[in-house]
Amino acid sequence: MEMDLKKIGLKVKEHLEKIASFTATPGEGITRLAFSLEARKTVNYINNEMKKIGLETVEDYAGSIKGRIDGVDDNKAAIIIGSHYDSVKNGGNFDGIAGVICGLEIARLVKENNIKLKYPLEIIGLNDEEGARFGNGFFGSKAMLGGIDLVDLHKYKDEDGISIYQAMDEYGLNPESLKGMSREAKTIKSFIEIHVEQGPVLENNRKDIGVVEGIVGMQRYIIEIDGRADHVGTTPMDMRVDAMEVASRMISGVGDLARSEGNGTVATVGFIKNYPNVINIVPKKVQFSLDIRSRDNGAIERIANKVEQRLTDLSKEYDTEYSIECKLSEYPVDLDKSLIKAMSEVCEAKGYNYQKINSGAGHDSLFMAKYVDTAMLFVPSQGGRSHCKEEWTDYRYFAKAVDVVYQLLLDLNKN
Ligand code: HGY
Ligand code: MN
Ligand code: MN
Ligand code: MN
């Protein structure tokens, strides 16, 4: 069946340009944090668009939005096409949400062509994959499979000290209801995610599509150095307990720890907070994040251990204390080989210029792949840029992604 790629591209463009207006930082990229007003507007928009297409919709207890087309045999496991609708701060128009919208347009094709699906189809907009507000991550996909520990809802707080629990309550969700959420993985046949590559590989290689083979493992930490506030003018250098000097000597060594591992390993200090953060007070407390990723879990572990050892040595030297809290830990995953093969065959049959690729970014698929057969399709990111307002992908790539995954869906429904 000849696909009207131009029409699909324009539809994706229309949705994404509308949703891009749901941001807390207009003109400065997309800021659509978990349980925010911007999230609420986005969920409502997606819900309405799903209903217009004729999907049965439901917002789940974690704030994710799902639209469903029943299968001929409704007891069969569902095929899910989805991604996340939340964003980082000052991020791009496409990260996550483009995969939800591509799923929506695939569902439209199913309806318009009156396709009778053997397996139910679910299009899902997952909440809080990024963890940009509370530092966690994969919240919506974890909640869907019953993986949220209610203790964390009180423990994880945003920069205003609001916990996930309070934020959910203010947003209109009942956090206690998460206890009842535990969808069995066997009710999901496949999880398929379309996502921007967020890196330079596809563009450099002039490829339209990336068929993802694996996703890096990642560990995220919050490290706190506790020193002593003193007057900067009267406190001699050998009497200080300077939290910032310890933090800065630790932070300046993180990049080399990743470089010494090689193999694409990365380590980043994304945020730092200093207390009381005043020009004439020796820093009392410094908090900073550490995000470590690699296809080799051993490399991640080695870096985490070296950081801990360095913190111990520096604390002895400066008489400071430190704490290190792991907020997220996921092993590297290989995606489903038969889905990779099937997706590649569709690209071949359609004559699309594609390649196999690994993901340096984490995704809901990193979590889902532990429990269900999972596949990801990447489209090129202009200049390899992402997590910034410069993030851009031409809509014609999303049209090809819709074309490929729609055909993959039809093929999966044949067997
Ligand atoms: O951090 C990541 O890789 C993803 O954007 N959540
Ligand atoms: Mn992201
Ligand atoms: Mn993403
Ligand atoms: Mn004074």
Side-chain angles (χ1 to χ4, degrees):
M1 180 191 84
E2 206 39 43
M3 197 66 78
D4 183 345
L5 295 182
K6 192 164 171 29
K7 183 181 155 201
I8 293 170
L10 286 172
K11 202 73 196 132
V12 169
K13 178 177 188 294
E14 181 193 324
H15 288 309
L16 291 181
E17 286 182 346
K18 176 69 188 156
I19 293 171
S21 67
F22 308 144
T23 172
T25 50
E28 285 310 313
I30 303 295
T31 301
R32 184 181 307 130
L33 302 182
F35 310 116
S36 63
L37 176 61
E38 296 73 34
R40 170 46 60 209
K41 289 180 179 173
T42 302
V43 168
N44 291 349
Y45 177 88
I46 294 169
N47 197 342
N48 290 334
E49 290 303 312
M50 284 179 166
K51 284 180 180 151
K52 280 186 207 167
I53 295 175
L55 307 189
E56 277 166 53
T57 65
V58 64
E59 182 178 347
D60 75 15
Y61 298 132
S64 299
I65 178 70
K66 180 175 82 173
R68 181 179 165 103
I69 299 176
D70 287 342
V72 169
D73 171 356
D74 231 26
N75 297 319
K76 281 200 178 298
I79 293 175
I80 297 182
I81 300 174
S83 192
H84 60 97
Y85 65 76
D86 65 295
S87 77
V88 290
K89 289 181 184 170
N90 306 102
N93 284 11
F94 304 98
D95 177 0
I97 188 67
V100 182
I101 293 302
C102 286
L104 191 67
E105 289 310 308
I106 289 165
R108 184 196 306 280
L109 290 169
V110 170
K111 283 287 187 184
E112 284 177 352
N113 295 296
N114 201 20
I115 304 288
K116 292 283 167 271
L117 294 172
K118 188 168 154 190
Y119 301 98
L121 171 64
E122 294 179 1
I123 308 302
I124 289 194
L126 289 157
N127 186 22
D128 201 13
E129 181 269 350
E130 298 283 5
R133 180 174 175 184
F134 302 100
N136 49 344
F138 311 126
F139 185 79
S141 25
K142 276 186 181 168
M144 179 166 66
L145 297 184
I148 293 290
D149 180 340
L150 287 195
V151 172
D152 290 346
L153 299 184
H154 296 286
K155 193 168 81 173
Y156 289 152
K157 295 187 170 39
D158 68 10
E159 57 191 10
D160 301 322
I162 296 174
S163 69
I164 298 179
Y165 198 97
Q166 290 164 308
M168 288 182 76
D169 186 47
E170 285 166 22
Y171 185 75
L173 291 170
N174 170 11
E176 297 298 330
S177 54
L178 284 175
K179 279 184 214 146
M181 260 186 91
S182 59
R183 173 173 189 169
E184 288 188 272
K186 68 175 192 241
T187 65
I188 303 169
K189 174 178 169 53
S190 322
F191 180 80
I192 302 171
E193 183 170 11
I194 295 169
H195 203 288
V196 289
E197 178 202 339
Q198 301 182 290
V201 173
L202 295 179
E203 185 181 65
N204 291 346
N205 296 344
R206 300 189 193 299
K207 302 290 182 189
D208 297 333
I209 286 172
V211 177
V212 183
E213 291 188 292
I215 305 175
V216 291
M218 52 199 286
Q219 287 182 8
R220 278 179 177 170
Y221 296 90
I222 298 295
I223 296 168
E224 182 171 301
I225 311 294
D226 291 298
R228 194 184 66 208
D230 278 311
H231 194 300
V232 298
T234 56
T235 312
M237 294 311 285
D238 62 358
M239 277 181 62
R240 295 177 178 212
V241 187
D242 184 342
M244 182 61 84
E245 193 165 357
V246 170
S248 54
R249 287 184 62 181
M250 177 69 257
I251 290 169
S252 61
V254 163
D256 285 344
L257 289 177
R259 279 184 277 271
S260 64
E261 287 291 343
N263 187 20
T265 301
V266 291
T268 316
V269 175
F271 80 71
I272 180 169
K273 290 178 186 165
N274 174 33
Y275 302 89
N277 211 30
V278 174
I279 191 166
N280 57 353
I281 303 176
V282 175
K284 173 180 169 54
K285 179 171 80 173
V286 176
Q287 264 182 350
F288 57 93
S289 64
L290 175 62
D291 178 305
I292 313 169
R293 308 185 187 197
S294 179
R295 284 286 293 150
D296 165 13
N297 205 65
I300 298 173
E301 295 290 350
R302 283 189 294 274
I303 291 174
N305 293 336
K306 285 177 185 170
V307 165
E308 187 119 32
Q309 186 52 55
R310 180 89 174 115
L311 287 169
T312 303
D313 298 345
L314 286 167
S315 293
K316 278 195 196 107
E317 190 182 341
Y318 285 82
D319 204 17
T320 50
E321 305 280 327
Y322 78 88
S323 66
I324 179 165
E325 182 196 355
C326 184
K327 304 277 271 193
L328 180 132
S329 176
E330 295 293 345
Y331 283 95
V333 293
D334 293 325
L335 298 188
D336 182 70
K337 300 250 183 302
S338 62
L339 285 173
I340 289 169
K341 182 170 174 294
M343 190 184 277
S344 305
E345 284 165 359
V346 172
C347 292
E348 302 272 355
K350 288 182 176 292
Y352 287 152
N353 202 355
Y354 79 102
Q355 70 166 76
K356 303 276 179 64
I357 189 171
N358 275 314
S359 175
H363 299 285
D364 288 298
S365 295
L366 172 59
F367 179 77
M368 295 300 289
K370 295 188 294 187
Y371 303 97
V372 302
D373 294 347
T374 297
M376 283 198 86
L377 183 152
F378 277 173
V379 288
S381 293
Q382 184 170 280
R385 302 294 306 280
S386 181
H387 280 192
C388 56
K389 66 178 181 184
E390 293 78 11
E391 184 179 275
W392 173 261
T393 294
D394 190 287
Y395 295 100
R396 71 177 186 281
Y397 293 117
F398 293 119
K400 290 181 178 175
V402 167
D403 188 15
V404 169
V405 175
Y406 175 65
Q407 186 55 54
L408 175 62
L409 180 71
L410 299 183
D411 294 348
L412 291 173
N413 272 277
K414 282 180 199 141
N415 50 32

